Amino acid sequence: MSIANIICPACGKEYAWQQQLAGHTVRCTCGQVMPVPAVAVETDSVYALAPAEDRQFVRPVSAGSGAPETDDLALPCPSCRQPIPFGGVVCPACGYNVKTGLHDPGAINPSAVGTPASWQVPTGEAPAPEGEPQPAPVLHHPVVTKLPQFGIPPPAPKREFPAETRQEILKRYFTILGAIAGLIVLVAVFRAFRSSSAPADMHPEDAVILRKLQSDLTLEPLRWLDVDPERRLGRLTRAEAKAWIDSIYREGAKNLWCYGPRGRPELYAEPPPPEDVEARARFFRWYEDYCGSIGVAAMPDVGQKYLRIELAN
C-alpha cells in the first residue's frame, strides 16, 4: 500500500499529499482550487509508487489575497509554539525534536524569531495597532535540556580556583621538598644513632652482634620457633631445638636470641658477666665442649658480652 498523489482536475498535475495541509483547500499553479483529503488515501496502484516528473508540493490558499504565505507550510512547535520550517523536525527557537520528544540546545537558531499571528501565545495584553512591530510572544513552556525520566543528572557547576602567582607556586613546591628532605635526615640520624649505640670500649665482635640484636628479625629462640611451624635450628627438629635451648639456659646463659630468616638463623647468647667467675667458667666449658662436638673452633673468653653459638647443619 502507498499514499496516492493529489491530481489537479484541470491540468492533471500531481502533488504529494502532506499532513500539514490535510483538510485544507489548496490552489494549483494553474489556478484551480482543490481540497486536500483529511486522511491520506492509500492505493494499490503501482503508478502511485513512482513520483511524477512534475510532482510538487502545493501551498494552501491564503484567507486574504489568495496568494500563498511563506509561513503557511510551517508547523507550530508543540513545546514553544514557534514555527518549524516545512520538512524540519527540530524547532529552531527551542531545539525541540518532534520525533524524539527531546530538546537539543545546540540546534537553537538565535535568528529564528517571529511567529504567525494564529500561533502566537496570548499574553493578556491588547494587540498592537496594525503596521507596528508585534511584541515577542511569552513562552509558557520552559526549555528542558535534560529529561528527568532518563536519570541523567545535570552537569556539575564549574569550580573556579583562585589564580596563583609564580612565587606562591614555587613556595608551595619548596615547602613540600623541604618536608621530604627533613624526613630523610631524621631517618639517617636514627639509623646512625642505632649503629653507634654500642660503647666505645666494647669488643668489636660485641658491636657487630649488638647491631643484629637491635634488628626486627631478632627474637628469643622459643618465640622465634613459634612464629612459623616450619622453622628449625640447624638439623634439630622443633622438639629437639626447644630442649636444647632449655639446656643452654641451665648451663648459665642469661639471655638467648635468634636472628635471621627461617632458612639460615643465627643463635647468640649472653654468658654470665666476668664478675661471676665460677658461672662464667662453667658456661665457657660447656661452650668449648659443644664446639668440639660439631667440629668448629671455640672463641676464647676475652671478656666479651655476647657470644655466637654455631648451629650444627
Side-chain angles (χ1 to χ4, degrees), residues 125-129 134:
E125 301 177 0
Q134 297 288 335

Side-chain angles (χ1 to χ4, degrees), residues 14-278:
E14 294 185 17
Y15 298 93
W17 182 88
Q18 306 164 48
Q19 186 177 4
Q20 297 95 324
L21 305 179
H24 294 277
T25 301
V26 296
R27 189 188 304 275
C28 179
T29 55
C30 68
Q32 176 68 31
V33 177
M34 53 186 174
V36 178
V39 181
V41 180
E42 296 183 349
T43 179
D44 293 327
S45 174
V46 295
Y47 296 101
L49 299 177
E53 295 181 357
D54 56 350
R55 182 177 179 180
Q56 302 178 17
F57 292 98
V58 296
R59 296 181 180 271
V61 177
S62 176
S65 61
E69 298 181 359
T70 57
D71 289 332
D72 285 338
L73 295 182
L75 284 176
C77 174
S79 176
C80 68
R81 308 302 297 172
Q82 294 288 331
I84 299 178
F86 174 74
V89 294
V90 179
C91 175
C94 68
Y96 180 81
N97 192 312
V98 297
K99 288 187 176 181
T100 63
L102 303 177
H103 286 82
D104 183 9
I108 296 177
N109 183 5
S111 62
V113 295
T115 306
S118 60
W119 297 344
Q120 289 183 2
V121 180
T123 61
E125 301 177 0
E130 223 176 284
E132 295 186 7
Q134 297 288 335
V138 179
L139 302 181
H140 297 281
H141 301 277
V143 177
V144 181
T145 57
K146 297 291 183 180
L147 295 182
Q149 61 266 28
F150 291 96
I152 303 176
K158 181 183 290 186
R159 298 180 59 186
E160 295 184 0
F161 297 93
E164 290 184 307
T165 63
R166 180 182 178 86
Q167 293 181 349
E168 292 176 340
I169 296 175
L170 292 177
K171 181 179 179 180
R172 184 173 69 251
Y173 285 153
F174 279 120
T175 301
I176 296 174
L177 292 177
I180 296 175
L183 181 62
I184 294 175
V185 171
L186 288 177
V187 173
V189 171
F190 177 73
R191 289 184 176 180
F193 174 77
R194 291 189 61 178
S195 62
S196 62
S197 59
D201 57 347
M202 180 175 284
H203 190 275
E205 185 68 17
D206 285 348
V208 174
I209 296 176
L210 181 60
R211 284 196 294 270
K212 293 183 179 181
L213 297 182
Q214 294 173 342
S215 170
D216 296 335
L217 299 177
T218 303
L219 290 174
E220 195 275 336
L222 297 179
R223 292 180 56 194
W224 184 87
L225 288 171
D226 291 337
V227 170
D228 187 349
E230 299 296 327
R231 286 186 172 183
R232 300 288 186 273
L233 289 179
R235 62 189 178 188
L236 302 177
T237 63
R238 291 178 59 84
E240 293 173 343
K242 291 183 177 182
W244 182 56
I245 292 298
D246 290 337
S247 68
I248 300 177
Y249 279 120
R250 290 194 299 270
E251 292 296 335
K254 296 183 61 177
N255 292 294
L256 293 173
W257 299 275
C258 260
Y259 166 80
R262 179 177 65 184
R264 302 178 59 183
E266 299 175 5
L267 182 64
Y268 297 100
E270 181 183 2
E275 294 81 12
D276 193 348
V277 178
E278 183 179 352

